[in-house]
Coordinates of all heavy atoms in Angstrom, one line a residue:
F129 N 105.9 132.6 171.8 CA 106.1 133.9 172.5 C 104.8 134.7 172.7 O 103.8 134.4 172.0 CB 107.2 134.7 171.7 CG 108.5 134.0 171.6 CD1 108.8 133.1 170.6 CD2 109.5 134.3 172.5 CE1 110.0 132.4 170.6 CE2 110.7 133.7 172.4 CZ 111.0 132.7 171.5
E130 N 104.9 135.6 173.5 CA 103.6 136.4 173.8 C 103.1 137.1 172.6 O 101.9 137.4 172.5 CB 103.9 137.4 174.9 CG 104.1 136.8 176.3 CD 104.3 137.7 177.4 OE1 104.3 139.0 177.1 OE2 104.4 137.3 178.6
N131 N 104.0 137.4 171.6 CA 103.6 138.1 170.4 C 103.0 137.1 169.3 O 102.7 137.5 168.2 CB 104.7 138.9 169.8 CG 105.9 138.1 169.4 OD1 105.9 136.8 169.4 ND2 107.0 138.7 169.0
G132 N 103.0 135.8 169.7 CA 102.4 134.8 168.8 C 103.4 134.1 167.9 O 103.0 133.1 167.3
I133 N 104.6 134.5 167.9 CA 105.7 133.8 167.1 C 106.0 132.5 167.8 O 106.0 132.4 169.0 CB 106.9 134.7 167.0 CG1 106.6 135.9 166.1 CG2 108.1 133.9 166.4 CD1 107.8 136.9 166.1
S134 N 106.2 131.5 167.0 CA 106.5 130.1 167.6 C 108.0 129.8 167.2 O 108.5 130.3 166.2 CB 105.6 129.1 167.1 OG 105.6 128.9 165.7
A135 N 108.5 128.8 167.9 CA 109.9 128.4 167.6 C 110.0 126.9 168.0 O 109.3 126.4 168.9 CB 110.9 129.2 168.4
S136 N 110.9 126.2 167.4 CA 111.3 124.9 167.8 C 112.9 124.8 167.9 O 113.6 125.6 167.2 CB 110.9 123.8 166.7 OG 111.5 124.1 165.5
A137 N 113.4 124.0 168.7 CA 114.8 123.9 169.0 C 115.3 122.5 169.4 O 114.5 121.8 170.0 CB 115.2 124.9 170.1
S138 N 116.5 122.2 169.0 CA 117.1 120.9 169.4 C 118.5 121.1 169.7 O 119.2 121.9 169.0 CB 116.9 119.8 168.4 OG 117.5 120.2 167.1
W139 N 119.0 120.5 170.7 CA 120.4 120.6 171.1 C 120.9 119.1 171.4 O 120.2 118.3 172.0 CB 120.6 121.3 172.4 CG 120.2 122.8 172.4 CD1 121.0 123.8 172.1 CD2 118.9 123.3 172.7 NE1 120.3 125.0 172.2 CE2 119.0 124.7 172.6 CE3 117.6 122.8 173.0 CZ2 117.9 125.6 172.7 CZ3 116.5 123.6 173.2 CH2 116.7 125.0 173.0
C140 N 122.0 118.8 170.9 CA 122.6 117.5 171.2 C 124.1 117.7 171.4 O 124.8 118.1 170.5 CB 122.4 116.5 170.0 SG 123.0 114.8 170.4
F141 N 124.6 117.4 172.6 CA 126.0 117.5 172.9 C 126.6 116.1 173.0 O 127.7 115.9 173.7 CB 126.1 118.3 174.2 CG 125.6 119.7 174.1 CD1 124.3 120.0 174.5 CD2 126.3 120.7 173.4 CE1 123.8 121.3 174.3 CE2 125.8 122.0 173.3 CZ 124.5 122.3 173.7
A142 N 126.0 115.1 172.4 CA 126.6 113.8 172.2 C 126.5 113.3 170.8 O 126.2 112.2 170.5 CB 125.9 112.8 173.2
A143 N 126.6 114.2 169.9 CA 126.4 114.0 168.4 C 127.7 113.5 167.8 O 128.8 113.7 168.4 CB 125.9 115.2 167.8
G144 N 127.6 113.1 166.5 CA 128.8 112.6 165.8 C 129.4 113.7 165.0 O 130.5 113.5 164.4
D145 N 128.7 114.8 164.8 CA 129.2 115.9 164.0 C 128.8 117.3 164.7 O 128.2 117.3 165.7 CB 128.8 115.8 162.6 CG 127.3 115.9 162.4 OD1 126.6 116.0 163.5 OD2 126.7 115.9 161.3
R146 N 129.1 118.4 163.9 CA 128.7 119.7 164.5 C 127.8 120.4 163.5 O 127.9 120.3 162.3 CB 130.0 120.5 164.6 CG 131.0 120.0 165.6 CD 132.3 120.9 165.7 NE 133.2 120.3 166.7 CZ 133.1 120.6 168.0 NH1 132.2 121.5 168.4 NH2 134.0 120.1 168.8
L147 N 126.8 121.0 164.1 CA 125.8 121.8 163.4 C 125.4 123.0 164.3 O 125.1 122.8 165.5 CB 124.6 121.0 163.0 CG 123.5 121.8 162.3 CD1 123.9 122.3 161.0 CD2 122.2 120.9 162.1
D148 N 125.5 124.2 163.8 CA 125.1 125.4 164.5 C 124.3 126.3 163.5 O 124.9 127.0 162.7 CB 126.4 126.2 165.0 CG 126.1 127.4 165.7 OD1 124.9 127.8 165.9 OD2 127.1 128.1 166.1
R149 N 123.0 126.2 163.6 CA 122.2 126.8 162.6 C 120.9 127.4 163.3 O 120.2 126.6 164.0 CB 121.8 125.9 161.5 CG 121.0 126.5 160.3 CD 120.8 125.4 159.3 NE 120.3 126.0 158.0 CZ 119.0 126.3 157.8 NH1 118.1 126.0 158.8 NH2 118.6 126.8 156.6
C150 N 120.6 128.6 163.0 CA 119.3 129.2 163.4 C 118.7 129.8 162.2 O 119.3 130.5 161.4 CB 119.5 130.2 164.5 SG 117.9 130.9 165.1
E151 N 117.4 129.7 162.0 CA 116.6 130.2 160.9 C 115.4 130.9 161.4 O 114.6 130.4 162.3 CB 116.2 129.2 159.9 CG 115.5 129.7 158.7 CD 115.3 128.6 157.7 OE1 115.1 127.4 158.1 OE2 115.3 128.9 156.5
I152 N 115.2 132.2 161.0 CA 114.0 132.9 161.4 C 113.2 133.2 160.1 O 113.7 133.7 159.1 CB 114.4 134.3 162.0 CG1 115.2 134.1 163.3 CG2 113.1 135.1 162.3 CD1 115.7 135.4 163.8
V153 N 112.0 132.7 160.1 CA 111.2 132.7 158.9 C 110.1 133.8 159.0 O 109.4 133.9 160.0 CB 110.5 131.3 158.6 CG1 109.6 131.4 157.4 CG2 111.5 130.3 158.5
G154 N 110.0 134.7 158.0 CA 109.0 135.7 157.9 C 108.0 135.5 156.8 O 108.2 134.5 156.0
D155 N 107.0 136.3 156.6 CA 106.1 136.2 155.5 C 106.7 136.8 154.2 O 106.0 136.7 153.2 CB 104.7 136.8 155.8 CG 104.8 138.3 156.0 OD1 105.9 138.9 155.9 OD2 103.7 138.9 156.4
A156 N 107.9 137.3 154.2 CA 108.5 137.8 153.0 C 110.0 137.4 152.9 O 110.7 138.1 152.1 CB 108.4 139.3 153.0
G157 N 110.4 136.4 153.7 CA 111.8 136.0 153.6 C 112.3 135.3 154.8 O 111.5 134.9 155.7
R158 N 113.6 135.1 154.9 CA 114.1 134.4 156.1 C 115.6 134.8 156.3 O 116.3 135.3 155.4 CB 114.1 132.9 155.9 CG 114.8 132.3 154.7 CD 114.4 130.9 154.4 NE 115.0 130.4 153.2 CZ 116.1 129.7 153.1 NH1 116.8 129.4 154.2 NH2 116.6 129.3 152.0
I159 N 116.0 134.6 157.6 CA 117.4 134.9 158.0 C 118.0 133.7 158.6 O 117.4 133.0 159.4 CB 117.4 136.0 159.1 CG1 116.8 137.3 158.5 CG2 118.9 136.3 159.5 CD1 116.6 138.4 159.6
V160 N 119.2 133.3 158.1 CA 119.9 132.2 158.6 C 121.2 132.6 159.2 O 122.0 133.4 158.6 CB 120.1 131.1 157.5 CG1 120.9 129.9 158.0 CG2 118.8 130.7 156.9
F161 N 121.6 132.1 160.4 CA 122.8 132.5 161.1 C 123.3 131.4 162.0 O 122.5 130.5 162.4 CB 122.6 133.8 161.8 CG 121.6 133.8 162.9 CD1 122.0 133.6 164.2 CD2 120.3 134.0 162.6 CE1 121.0 133.5 165.2 CE2 119.3 134.0 163.6 CZ 119.7 133.8 165.0
A162 N 124.5 131.5 162.5 CA 125.1 130.6 163.5 C 125.2 131.4 164.8 O 125.3 132.7 164.8 CB 126.4 130.1 163.1
T163 N 125.2 130.7 165.9 CA 125.3 131.4 167.2 C 126.7 131.4 167.7 O 127.2 132.4 168.3 CB 124.4 130.7 168.3 OG1 123.1 130.6 167.8 CG2 124.4 131.4 169.6
F164 N 127.5 130.4 167.5 CA 128.8 130.2 168.2 C 130.0 130.4 167.3 O 131.1 130.3 167.7 CB 128.8 128.9 169.0 CG 127.8 128.9 170.1 CD1 126.6 128.2 169.9 CD2 128.0 129.6 171.2 CE1 125.7 128.2 170.9 CE2 127.1 129.5 172.3 CZ 125.9 128.9 172.1
D165 N 129.8 130.5 166.0 CA 130.9 130.9 165.1 C 130.5 132.2 164.4 O 129.3 132.6 164.5 CB 131.3 129.8 164.2 CG 130.2 129.5 163.1 OD1 129.7 130.4 162.5 OD2 130.0 128.3 162.9
D166 N 131.4 132.8 163.7 CA 131.1 134.1 163.0 C 130.9 133.9 161.5 O 131.3 134.8 160.7 CB 132.2 135.1 163.3 CG 133.6 134.7 162.9 OD1 133.7 133.6 162.4 OD2 134.5 135.5 163.1
S167 N 130.3 132.8 161.1 CA 129.9 132.7 159.7 C 129.0 133.8 159.3 O 128.2 134.3 160.2 CB 129.3 131.3 159.4 OG 128.2 131.1 160.2
P168 N 128.9 134.2 158.0 CA 128.0 135.3 157.7 C 126.6 135.1 158.0 O 126.0 133.9 157.9 CB 128.3 135.4 156.1 CG 129.6 134.7 155.9 CD 129.7 133.6 156.9
V169 N 125.9 136.1 158.3 CA 124.4 136.2 158.4 C 123.9 136.2 157.0 O 124.3 137.0 156.2 CB 124.0 137.4 159.2 CG1 122.4 137.5 159.2 CG2 124.5 137.4 160.6
R170 N 122.9 135.3 156.7 CA 122.4 135.2 155.3 C 120.9 135.6 155.3 O 120.1 135.2 156.1 CB 122.6 133.8 154.8 CG 124.0 133.5 154.6 CD 124.2 132.2 153.9 NE 125.7 131.9 153.7 CZ 126.5 132.4 152.8 NH1 126.0 133.2 152.0 NH2 127.8 132.1 152.8
L171 N 120.6 136.5 154.4 CA 119.2 137.0 154.2 C 118.7 136.6 152.9 O 119.3 136.7 151.8 CB 119.2 138.6 154.3 CG 117.9 139.3 153.9 CD1 116.8 139.0 154.9 CD2 118.1 140.8 153.8
F172 N 117.5 135.9 152.9 CA 116.8 135.5 151.7 C 115.5 136.2 151.6 O 114.7 136.0 152.5 CB 116.6 134.0 151.7 CG 117.9 133.2 151.9 CD1 118.4 132.9 153.1 CD2 118.6 132.6 150.8 CE1 119.6 132.2 153.3 CE2 119.7 131.9 150.9 CZ 120.2 131.6 152.2

């Protein structure tokens, strides 16, 4: 991104199972969440 943050991503719609996970990593913690279900947002 223009602000210097980087990201990696993978999508597979021919997989054998389901996984919906996004993680944002900071210098003092991280946030983990799903995009398409309403599982809790987790802060570490």
Side-chain angles (χ1 to χ4, degrees):
F129 297 84
E130 290 182 358
N131 62 7
I133 294 171
S134 61
S136 61
S138 62
W139 298 267
C140 183
F141 299 97
D145 62 357
R146 295 180 180 274
L147 176 64
D148 179 359
R149 187 178 190 277
C150 184
E151 183 174 31
I152 301 172
V153 177
D155 64 1
R158 57 194 175 96
I159 300 169
V160 179
F161 61 95
T163 305
F164 297 100
D165 66 46
D166 58 358
S167 58
V169 174
R170 298 190 179 276
L171 169 66
F172 302 85

